Amino acid sequence: MKSLRNLLLGAGILLLGSCNQAPVSAPAEPAPVDKAAIVLENIMTRASVRSFTAEPVSRETLQTIVRAGLQAPSAMNKQDWEVRVVDSQDKINAICDIMKKANPNAQDRFPDKNSFGNAAALIFIANEVSDQPGAFSAVDAALLAENIVLAAHAMDLGACIQAGPLRSMESAEAQAWLKSLGFSENYQPMLVIPIGHPDQEVTAGQRDASKAKFVE
Ligand SMILES: Cc1cc2nc3c(=O)[nH]c(=O)nc-3n(C[C@H](O)[C@H](O)[C@H](O)COP(=O)(O)O)c2cc1C
C-alpha cells in the first residue's frame, strides 16, 4: 500500500515537473563571437606577473600553454627552439638555492618567496646556436615566449619572460642543474618564464606610440 502511494506521489511529481518545463523550441542563435575584440583585449591587458600563490597549475594547462607557444611562427619554419617545463617545486627551489649561493647579495623582489616568486612552474626556452647567415633562432624563441605569456594571460594565469636569471646561472652547480633539463647539444637556454596564479595586481604598462609611424 505504502509503495503504491509512493508510486502515485512519484508520478505526481513527474507530472508537475513536466508541466513546469518550457516547451521545446529551436535553439537560440549563438551570439556572434568578436574574435578581434577578444584577441586584442588579451594582448592589451597582459602585464608581467612575478609573484604567485601556492596554487599549482595542472600539467594539462601547462601543456595547452606550451602548445600555444609552439604555434609561433619561425623563420623558414625551422622551429629552432626547445622547451622544458619544470613543475617540481623541489627542483625549482634547488636552482633558487644554487643562484642564492652564487650571488649571496642579490636581493629578491619578494623576500618571502623564492627567486621566481614561488612560481608553480618554470618554462625554459632554448634556441639553436648557429653561425649560419640568416639564422633567427633568438627571434623565433622570443616569438614562442610571447605566445606563452599571452596564452597564460588568456587562462587567467600570470607569467613573465625573463633573461636575467639565466645570466645568474653561470656557476658549475647551476650549469649542472641546467644540463639536467636535457636540451640538445647545440641549444642554449635563452629565456625562462615563471608561471602561476598571480599573487599581485598588475596592469598593462603604457607604451611609446611615437615608436611607430606611417610613412607617406
Ligand atoms: C627578452 C626579455 C627579457 C626580460 N628579462 C627580464 C628579467 O630578467 N627579469 C624581469 O623581471 N623581467 C624581465 N623581462 C620583463 C620585462 O621587464 C617586461 O616585459 C617589461 O618591463 C614590460 O612590462 P610588461 O611585460 O608588464 O608589459 C624581460 C622581458 C623580455 C622581453
Side-chain angles (χ1 to χ4, degrees):
M1 200 55 192
K2 200 172 166 196
S3 62
L4 181 68
R5 214 179 53 214
N6 286 347
L7 204 73
L8 289 170
L9 205 73
I13 288 168
L14 265 176
L15 264 171
L16 215 87
S18 60
C19 287
N20 281 345
Q21 278 168 3
V24 176
S25 59
E29 278 289 306
V33 177
D34 190 344
K35 267 200 306 185
I38 292 169
V39 171
L40 289 171
E41 196 267 350
N42 195 54
I43 291 172
M44 299 308 283
T45 57
R46 183 213 58 82
S48 290
V49 174
R50 299 176 175 88
S51 176
F52 308 92
T53 70
E55 194 182 337
V57 176
S58 73
R59 285 213 165 170
E60 196 187 355
T61 299
L62 290 168
Q63 182 82 43
T64 302
I65 289 168
V66 169
R67 183 64 190 80
L70 295 173
Q71 202 61 30
S74 62
M76 294 182 289
N77 197 21
K78 277 180 82 181
Q79 302 171 52
D80 38 9
W81 49 47
E82 286 186 356
V83 179
R84 298 291 181 266
V85 183
V86 182
D87 61 355
S88 149
Q89 290 302 305
D90 286 348
K91 198 162 173 68
I92 293 174
N93 285 328
I95 189 59
C96 291
D97 291 346
I98 292 169
M99 285 160 65
K100 269 243 145 60
K101 212 157 58 164
N103 311 286
N105 297 324
Q107 293 289 311
D108 279 336
R109 264 203 191 96
F110 305 97
D112 55 335
K113 303 208 164 181
N114 67 25
S115 311
F116 291 106
N118 287 1
L122 300 179
I123 300 176
F124 285 84
I125 301 169
N127 64 310
E128 190 179 26
V129 182
S130 163
D131 50 14
Q132 293 288 307
F136 285 100
S137 67
V139 176
D140 299 338
L143 294 172
L144 184 153
E146 174 68 350
N147 269 17
I148 283 180
V149 294
L150 285 174
H153 178 52
M155 297 175 87
D156 288 332
L157 293 170
C160 177
I161 299 172
Q162 297 187 358
L166 285 158
R167 278 188 242 115
S168 318
M169 294 183 194
E170 275 153 10
S171 70
E173 240 186 320
Q175 288 298 310
W177 189 95
L178 283 175
K179 204 168 163 51
S180 76
L181 299 181
F183 284 119
S184 301
E185 204 54 58
N186 52 335
Y187 278 73
Q188 68 184 3
M190 188 182 74
L191 297 169
V192 54
I193 304 180
I195 188 165
H197 294 272
D199 193 22
Q200 59 175 155
E201 289 277 332
V202 289
T203 47
Q206 292 296 308
R207 295 296 190 260
D208 180 357
S210 74
K211 294 273 186 177
K213 292 187 168 78
F214 281 103
V215 177
E216 303 301 343

